[in-house]
Amino acid sequence: MLKIGITGNIGSGKTMVSKLFELLGIPVFYADVAAKDAMVTDAVLIAGVKEAFSNEAYLPDGALNRKYIANIVFNDDAQLARLNALTHPAVFRAFDAWVAGIKDAPYVIKEAALLFESTSYKMCDYSLLVTAPLKERIARVTKRDGITREQVEAREAKQFTEDKKRQLTDYLIANDETELLIPQVLNLHQKFLQLATR
Ligand code: ATP
């Protein structure tokens, strides 16, 4: 099964682009959703998180103690890296299981904010980067999430720069005012259908 990884920095529109591929009938795996799910369902991950951050990481009912974890990782990049190192393999496992269950699609998509940072692009056949100027991305996310420009910039600073990702990606979609989005998606869909028959 051909696997395409879609990514883009905060507010680039990678989720919007992924939804357009879904409209074309392509199954999409959302890594961020899978990560949240794995935190409360993947036994290996749960054990790892408890070992790394203590049993307090989970509430008595088994739910993740988000406040506790957020306090630990928010201003400490080393702890965040530790949490990511536990989470990423769990998401890889979930993706493999999900792909194994898909029988009748020409190709599948993995949408992941940290596709390059987590190295999961290496497990995809091709990567697709959605880009937009920082100014535009800040405007979208402040509107969508009701947060400040500084909060968006702080999240942006935790990701690889868009320039770095441009060097790593196979395909690009410009989700800005310069090019129409849907024709770009349709073009790439045709390309991926061709690649899937090779
Ligand atoms: P994040 O990494 O923060 O989850 P994302 O890359 O998944 O962001 P989306 O959630 O798809 O981005 O888009 C961010 C916001 O910008 C959404 O509210 C979306 O509706 C809006 N948006 C996306 N593309 C455009 C566009 N071309 N024009 C206007 N608004 C857009």
Side-chain angles (χ1 to χ4, degrees):
M1 179 76 70
L2 185 78
K3 297 176 201 129
I4 309 292
I6 292 190
T7 194
N9 277 26
I10 182 164
S12 58
K14 60 191 163 294
T15 304
M16 183 182 252
V17 167
S18 300
K19 300 265 178 224
L20 291 173
F21 280 100
E22 268 191 285
L23 286 176
L24 297 169
I26 300 306
V28 179
F29 176 90
Y30 292 92
D32 292 358
V33 175
K36 283 197 185 105
D37 184 55
M39 291 297 286
V40 289
T41 58
D42 186 302
V44 176
L45 175 58
I46 294 169
V49 169
K50 285 183 179 169
E51 199 184 319
F53 303 109
S54 102
N55 285 338
E56 258 192 87
Y58 287 87
L59 298 168
D61 68 357
L64 185 68
N65 189 344
R66 291 192 181 280
K67 228 178 185 172
Y68 176 81
I69 293 280
N71 270 336
I72 294 175
V73 303
F74 192 68
N75 283 317
D76 188 335
D77 287 348
Q79 296 288 17
L80 180 61
R82 204 168 169 209
L83 180 63
N84 282 339
L86 290 163
T87 313
H88 292 152
V91 177
F92 299 167
R93 289 194 286 279
F95 180 62
D96 287 345
W98 177 83
V99 171
I102 299 218
K103 302 289 174 221
D104 52 359
Y107 65 93
V108 296
I109 284 174
K110 179 182 199 178
E111 192 248 49
L114 301 180
L115 188 77
F116 292 116
E117 294 87 340
S118 70
T119 72
S120 74
Y121 72 104
K122 292 183 179 166
M123 286 162 234
C124 294
D125 298 288
Y126 297 97
S127 53
L128 166 55
L129 176 67
V130 181
T131 65
L134 181 60
K135 198 175 156 206
E136 216 161 300
R137 294 191 283 110
I138 289 172
R140 289 176 192 163
V141 177
T142 49
K143 188 171 163 204
R144 184 193 64 189
D145 297 346
I147 58 175
T148 64
R149 173 195 189 94
E150 288 71 27
Q151 284 171 308
V152 181
E153 284 171 345
R155 289 189 203 172
E156 169 81 4
K158 290 193 191 295
Q159 308 184 333
F160 284 179
T161 63
E162 206 176 80
D163 277 349
K164 179 163 183 170
K165 290 179 185 178
R166 279 175 192 272
Q167 286 163 22
L168 292 168
T169 195
D170 298 304
Y171 297 98
L172 271 175
I173 281 187
N175 181 25
D176 52 25
E177 306 293 299
T178 64
E179 281 186 68
L180 290 173
L181 188 56
I182 290 174
Q184 296 181 77
V185 170
L186 292 174
N187 268 339
L188 282 173
H189 178 58
Q190 290 308 321
K191 179 87 197 159
F192 297 149
L193 288 177
Q194 280 171 12
L195 290 170
T197 57
R198 274 198 193 162

